[in-house]
Structure formats: structure tokens, C-alpha cells
Amino acid sequence: MAQTQRRRNFSAEFNRKAVADARMLGIRAAGRKHGVSQVSVLKWLKSAEEAGKEMPKTGQSCPHCGRAFERPQALASHLRFAHADTLPSKTAHLQAKKKEEKGRTEPTLGSVPVAVAAVPASALAPVTLPVPVVVSSTGAHEHLKTALEGLTQRQRQVEEELSRMAALQSEKEILRKQIDALNLAMQAFGL
């Protein structure tokens, strides 16, 4: 015996968010994100376009590098491939880890190793944010709170990393001055 599913009604706000995500991520990804079928998302997108609520299709730019894209699907593809390490997924995490391991070489000055301030690898690894798989319209408030907490935490981590970067920059300047002084001393001795 076939079971019939009860038809779900979504708020206009929910539909608008799904349509915005469809424009940015594509119809399939927006359907997965909001826990609805692609057919529903496509129907809402067409309704929004017919009602004249369509956002301009041009001028969409990458939030990471600023590159502009004509279509939302092109932007989504760019984000998946060029900025995979910023996406909360296992694949992106593995790709970032490989990049990090590949880039671990100790800098040298001639044959003498240069001292580098230690930055823990965990500080450089991308952070995956908890993303609920299914979001019901009644749990939207909790989902938003969870997303806000995750983003706030990531913002704090980025600020900490930026302060470490500032410390490294000042150390680099000190090292440059010491190298210049040593070069002058070597010139004075005629070396």
C-alpha cells in the first residue's frame, strides 16, 4: 500500500531564503540545504522571477577573492574549486590538509636555517562548522542561532590568527634589520 505524504506549507520567508540560495548555490544545493525537493525550489524560483522579484544576474562576486561572475552557478563552481578549503566539508578539509603538508619546508638563508616563530598546525587548519542536515520550518530559529554561534566562533579564530600574523610581520622586520646590520659588518671587514 502506498503511503501518502502530507503536503508541507512553507512561509514566504522560507521560500525567499531558498530562492536566494538557489541563485547563489544552484537549485540542487539549495534543495539539500533547506531539506526540500529541487522541484519545489525551481517552482519558487520561477514564481519569484515572474513576480518581478528577481535579483540582477550580473555583478555577483566571490567573497574571498572578489572575482565577478555572470551566473550564480559559475560563482558556486568557483567557490567549490578555488576556495574548497573554506567550505565545511570533509573533502575540503582533506585538500587543505594536503596543501598544508606540501608547504611545510624550513626556510634557509644560504645553508643556515632561519628561525621561524612556531604557529600550531591546528591554528592554520580550516574549521568545519556544524550544519544540521534537515531543518524544519519550526526549528529555523534554532538553526539560525547555531549558525550565528559557529560564525562568531570562527570570527574569533580568524582574529587570533590575524594577531599572530601581525606578530610574525614585526619579527620579520626585526630579522631584516639584523641581516642588514650583519651585511654592513661584513662589508666593514672586507668580506
Side-chain angles (χ1 to χ4, degrees):
M1 224 196 255
Q3 289 182 338
T4 58
Q5 291 184 344
R6 189 167 83 74
R7 188 177 180 114
R8 296 174 14 188
N9 290 324
F10 299 99
S11 67
E13 180 67 20
F14 183 87
N15 293 4
R16 193 166 57 253
K17 287 179 183 177
V19 166
D21 285 337
R23 289 183 177 130
M24 194 68 157
L25 306 171
I27 294 170
R28 181 182 294 177
R32 271 190 256 134
K33 180 179 178 182
H34 294 281
V36 296
S37 71
Q38 296 172 31
V39 174
S40 296
V41 175
L42 181 61
K43 182 177 73 173
W44 298 335
L45 183 61
K46 286 183 178 181
S47 294
E49 290 171 357
E50 289 171 4
K53 296 179 183 174
E54 182 178 13
M55 293 171 49
K57 291 184 179 180
T58 59
Q60 297 186 4
S61 61
C62 175
H64 302 287
C65 66
R67 185 172 168 196
F69 294 91
E70 192 76 23
R71 298 176 316 122
Q73 292 84 356
L75 174 60
S77 178
H78 168 77
L79 289 171
R80 280 192 306 273
F81 293 104
H83 305 290
D85 55 336
T86 64
L87 299 175
S89 70
K90 288 184 181 179
T91 308
H93 180 67
L94 293 175
Q95 288 173 351
K97 199 170 191 177
K98 285 180 185 177
K99 280 184 186 177
E100 179 183 315
E101 288 172 1
K102 213 187 286 186
R104 284 190 187 174
T105 58
E106 207 171 299
T108 59
L109 178 61
S111 62
V112 181
V114 177
V116 178
V119 177
S122 62
L124 300 175
V127 176
T128 55
L129 299 176
V131 179
V133 177
V134 178
V135 178
S136 65
S137 59
T138 58
H141 182 65
E142 288 80 20
H143 175 65
L144 292 173
K145 283 174 43 178
T146 303
L148 179 62
E149 289 170 3
L151 290 172
T152 304
Q153 180 182 7
R154 180 62 183 148
Q155 183 181 23
R156 278 191 229 110
Q157 291 171 343
V158 168
E159 288 170 355
E160 289 172 4
E161 289 177 31
L162 288 173
S163 67
R164 282 191 213 106
M165 293 290 287
L168 287 174
Q169 190 67 31
S170 64
E171 183 178 357
K172 177 184 171 187
E173 186 62 27
I174 291 168
L175 289 172
R176 185 192 59 77
K177 288 178 182 178
Q178 290 175 346
I179 290 170
D180 290 344
L182 287 173
N183 283 332
L184 284 173
M186 288 178 64
Q187 286 177 355
F189 285 106
L191 298 175

